[in-house]
Amino acid sequence: TVAEPQQAFRRLVYLSGSFGFAVPRKLDVVESHRPKRIVLPGGSGFLGTGLTRRLVGRGDHVTILTRGAPAVGDGWDRVHWDGRSDGDWFGSVEGADAIVHLSGKRVDCRATKANVEELISSRVQPVRAVEAAKVTPKVWVQVSSLAIFGEGGDEIIDEWSRPSGVGPPQMVQVCLAWEAAAKEAAAGLDRFVMLRGGIALGGEGDPATKRLLALSRWWLGGKIGSGEQWVSWVSVEDFLDVIVRAIDHESMSGVYNAASPNPVTNAQMM
């Protein structure tokens, strides 16, 4: 069953980097780590690549469900799927200890009706496909987005804040449909963790920074409007730390906002 955010979450000490609610990295090392089988639907992108490297490095085996070509490496394999229907990939997810669902089209597109529909389907259909495989992992970690809250102004948003449903459809409506599908898919599992991430920055191939740099090189950078819009962000390394912690620690269950405790304005970021 899906639990409500836990009060104990507030008592965790701060990480030395940007991220504000994980324990220090040295405490996340499990000396007697038992290797796990972890499935990453949509794991061939930026976050999935970094997460695979992290998990394989500690001895886990990672199966990546991808629309690309199958491949096998040391401690990992890529299995082809279309993200919608059943197939041979069903056998590759049986017996998984954890699912970390990362599927979804990038949101850097115009907010046309067709694009919004594609943003939703690229998230909801892969979730339902994994649900149809009837796997029973010990934990389902679902990566979502703080964009579900839309424009909150100066309001402090935490795990107890409820999305209003008001805001740009490419943000709010996409995330609402995404999370609803994931909660339904994981309803019969013992543990479900929803990570609402801020903009992940840093690391090799960081798509957010690359896009901002491209705009700046074309003299299209700078603040938007007043520049006072708040931007929630997180370093990619801290985000990966939290995902790994969600996989390992049975105390984590429910919804968590994965963002730095130090948001910046649009003007500051640019």
Side-chain angles (χ1 to χ4, degrees):
T1 58
V2 179
E4 291 296 320
Q6 303 199 10
Q7 293 290 344
F9 179 78
R10 291 295 182 191
R11 297 194 293 271
L12 296 177
V13 298
Y14 279 77
L15 198 69
S16 59
S18 68
F19 197 74
F21 54 73
V23 297
R25 288 189 178 90
K26 65 180 181 180
L27 296 183
D28 281 338
V29 177
V30 180
E31 293 182 1
S32 58
H33 175 69
R34 179 184 65 82
K36 297 179 173 67
R37 285 197 62 241
I38 300 171
V39 177
L40 307 183
S44 58
F46 173 60
L47 278 178
T49 299
L51 182 58
T52 297
R53 187 180 303 116
R54 179 82 64 91
L55 295 172
V56 169
R58 68 177 197 166
D60 296 327
H61 183 90
V62 177
T63 295
I64 302 161
L65 301 183
T66 175
R67 291 179 172 85
V72 177
D74 185 12
W76 60 268
D77 62 310
R78 291 181 179 173
V79 177
H80 177 78
W81 76 330
D82 63 5
R84 296 189 304 273
S85 51
D86 60 6
D88 294 340
W89 65 270
F90 268 24
S92 300
V93 301
E94 290 181 2
D97 293 299
I99 289 173
V100 182
H101 216 302
L102 302 168
S103 290
K105 171 183 168 66
R106 285 185 182 170
V107 297
D108 55 347
C109 58
R110 294 179 61 193
T112 63
K113 181 180 179 180
N115 281 341
V116 171
E117 289 176 351
E118 186 177 358
L119 288 170
I120 292 174
S121 65
S122 70
R123 287 160 171 77
V124 171
Q125 289 182 351
V127 165
R128 289 177 176 165
V130 174
E131 178 186 14
K134 300 187 183 303
V135 292
T136 55
K138 293 181 176 63
V139 61
W140 180 313
V141 180
Q142 181 65 49
V143 174
S144 181
S145 172
L146 285 170
I148 195 171
F149 292 105
E151 174 53 60
D154 291 332
E155 177 187 358
I156 301 298
I157 293 173
D158 60 18
E159 286 74 18
W160 288 266
S161 302
R162 294 188 177 276
S164 67
V166 178
Q170 72 272 24
M171 298 166 58
V172 176
Q173 298 307 316
V174 168
C175 289
L176 286 172
W178 192 10
E179 291 195 3
K183 289 176 181 178
E184 180 179 343
L189 302 180
D190 291 334
R191 196 160 65 90
F192 173 69
V193 181
M194 180 81 74
L195 298 178
R196 291 173 175 163
I199 299 175
L201 300 174
E204 184 179 352
D206 161 15
T209 300
K210 285 174 65 177
R211 177 52 60 94
L212 293 175
L213 286 173
L215 290 172
S216 298
R217 290 191 182 104
W218 287 95
W219 299 94
L220 297 173
K223 66 182 183 180
I224 298 174
S226 68
E228 295 177 357
Q229 309 93 323
W230 287 104
V231 179
S232 292
W233 63 279
V234 60
S235 82
V236 67
E237 291 302 314
D238 287 351
F239 198 14
L240 295 178
D241 280 346
V242 177
I243 294 175
V244 172
R245 181 176 175 82
I247 293 170
D248 290 344
H249 290 256
E250 295 183 2
S251 62
M252 283 190 70
S253 185
V255 178
Y256 296 82
N257 293 343
S260 163
N262 303 302
V264 295
T265 64
N266 169 255
Q268 290 172 321
M269 174 166 280
M270 297 305 294

